[in-house]
Amino acid sequence: MSLLIALSIACVALALLLIAAGLLHQDRRAQQVKATLQSALDSQGKSGEPAAPRTRWQALLAELVSLGGHFEGSRLQKALLAPEDRLLLEQVGWNHQAGAAVFLALRLLLAVLVPVLGLLLLQPHGLRALAMVGGGLAFGILLPKFALRAWAGRLRRQVDDELPLLIDLLRLLQGIGFSVDQSLQMIGEKLQVAIPVLGHEIQQANLAYTRGRSRPQSLRRLSEDFGNEDLRSLMQMMLQVHQHGGAVQEPLKQFGMRLREQRRMKMKEKVGKLSVKMTVVMMLTLLPALMLVLAGPAILALAGAVAGMGAP
């Protein structure tokens, strides 16, 4: 019974996290969440026409942003938003005022909600109640970070998987005469379906470039935030070609071949480790069954002979 109650508490907490993640994922493409919320809260636009009414999700998101905004610059925010958390927020595209406020609000809400639900459902007494409060507080604070870390890890894996296709697309576009800017523009606008994560990041980099940022500044997120050395090398190569010119098809070809060779070696290494693990599994599962099949008849025959010798 206690296990079912604990699972229900975890499900409620995860549901809150998923709702918040979905809300921020809808507003992530705009990169201006604060401006979007402000325009949604305005009762009348500049043209004098009434603004569109807020949806229920936007209202909930606004409440989370408002709750987290009350602790902006406080010691509590510094304690709950460590540099590691900032890096994770940057990787998932939440490292802005609204995203940090929502993350902080979720940690505070779950830190209160999980212990209260535990006390109401389990109704412990004495030391068990104190342990329930402490454990629920720690679980509520750490759960958003675990979910954010899992999300960031999934994005990093997707970036790693999409990188070879990005190199091939760049080679193709460069081969038909596109410049670096035209290639990045084409990938961000037309070919984003093939590489969703990298395509979206390139589109955001193009938007930043058109708004006045330099090309190195617009590609900084791709170069640094995902922690991918191959992607960083590719962006440096594209920046050098953008600044100094030159043919890039052959360097891209060599880079793609080297990247695929590295992945092939990593795959062979994984297969070798997996074969060793499977050997241990076979020794623990298959070998006892094999010995039983082979030695079982002999053991039964020996037991029957011993029983016959003992009979009068």
Side-chain angles (χ1 to χ4, degrees):
M1 185 64 181
S2 60
L3 179 60
L4 293 176
I5 295 175
L7 289 176
S8 63
I9 295 174
C11 290
V12 171
L14 287 175
L16 290 175
L17 286 177
L18 291 175
I19 290 173
L23 294 174
L24 281 179
H25 182 70
Q26 292 177 354
D27 292 339
R28 181 170 176 259
R29 292 180 179 273
Q31 292 295 323
Q32 298 291 336
V33 181
K34 182 180 178 180
T36 304
L37 292 174
Q38 186 63 38
S39 63
L41 291 172
D42 289 339
S43 59
Q44 189 167 351
K46 295 182 179 180
S47 60
E49 297 179 357
R54 291 186 302 170
T55 63
R56 181 176 56 185
W57 303 115
Q58 290 177 337
L60 179 58
L61 181 59
E63 292 296 332
L64 291 175
V65 172
S66 177
L67 176 61
H70 289 302
F71 300 94
E72 183 178 359
S74 63
R75 294 182 179 180
L76 183 62
Q77 184 188 36
K78 295 179 180 179
L80 295 180
L81 283 176
E84 181 184 1
D85 302 328
R86 291 285 187 182
L87 179 60
L88 293 175
L89 289 172
E90 183 70 27
Q91 290 177 357
V92 300
W94 285 16
N95 195 20
H96 42 72
Q97 185 177 4
V102 170
F103 181 72
L104 180 60
L106 283 175
R107 300 192 87 171
L108 294 174
L109 287 176
L110 290 176
V112 176
L113 180 62
V114 173
V116 170
L117 288 177
L119 293 175
L120 291 177
L121 296 176
L122 298 179
Q123 297 182 355
H125 301 283
L127 293 178
R128 291 187 60 187
L130 184 61
M132 174 65 67
V133 172
L137 179 65
F139 182 74
I141 291 177
L142 293 177
L143 186 59
K145 184 173 183 177
F146 291 155
L148 187 64
R149 183 178 297 173
W151 188 6
R154 182 176 61 84
L155 288 179
R156 288 194 298 268
R157 290 191 296 270
Q158 288 183 352
V159 167
D160 191 61
D161 293 338
E162 294 176 2
L163 185 56
L165 183 55
L166 174 62
I167 296 174
D168 293 339
L169 291 175
L170 288 172
R171 283 183 57 198
L172 176 64
L173 295 174
Q174 291 287 312
I176 61 178
F178 279 34
S179 65
V180 172
D181 290 337
Q182 290 173 338
S183 300
L184 294 177
Q185 194 74 23
M186 178 62 68
I187 292 175
E189 292 182 357
K190 306 296 184 180
L191 302 176
Q192 190 179 148
V193 178
I195 45 175
V197 178
L198 287 176
H200 174 71
E201 295 298 333
I202 291 175
Q203 184 184 25
Q204 295 300 318
N206 292 333
L207 290 175
Y209 182 66
T210 56
R211 292 170 182 169
R213 291 191 178 183
S214 64
R215 182 56 76 181
Q217 290 176 345
S218 63
L219 295 177
R220 183 196 63 82
R221 174 173 166 81
L222 282 169
S223 301
E224 300 177 2
D225 292 346
F226 291 101
N228 192 309
E229 293 296 332
D230 296 325
L231 182 59
R232 182 180 294 112
S233 300
L234 177 62
M235 291 299 106
Q236 290 176 355
M237 181 190 304
M238 300 303 294
L239 288 175
Q240 290 177 1
V241 174
H242 174 74
Q243 293 175 358
H244 306 291
V248 74
Q249 278 187 288
E250 189 62 25
L252 283 175
K253 180 180 178 181
Q254 297 296 329
F255 188 82
M257 292 174 59
R258 181 175 61 85
L259 182 61
R260 285 182 169 84
E261 185 63 27
Q262 290 179 354
R263 296 196 172 195
R264 190 177 295 110
M265 296 301 295
K266 289 180 181 179
M267 186 62 65
K268 290 182 179 179
E269 183 181 356
K270 289 182 179 180
V271 170
K273 292 181 179 179
L274 184 61
S275 63
V276 174
K277 295 178 181 178
M278 289 302 297
T279 302
V280 177
V281 173
M282 290 176 63
M283 290 178 60
L284 295 177
T285 58
L286 183 60
L287 187 59
L290 183 62
M291 293 297 296
L292 183 61
V293 171
L294 295 178
I299 294 175
L300 292 177
L302 181 60
V306 172
M309 292 175 59

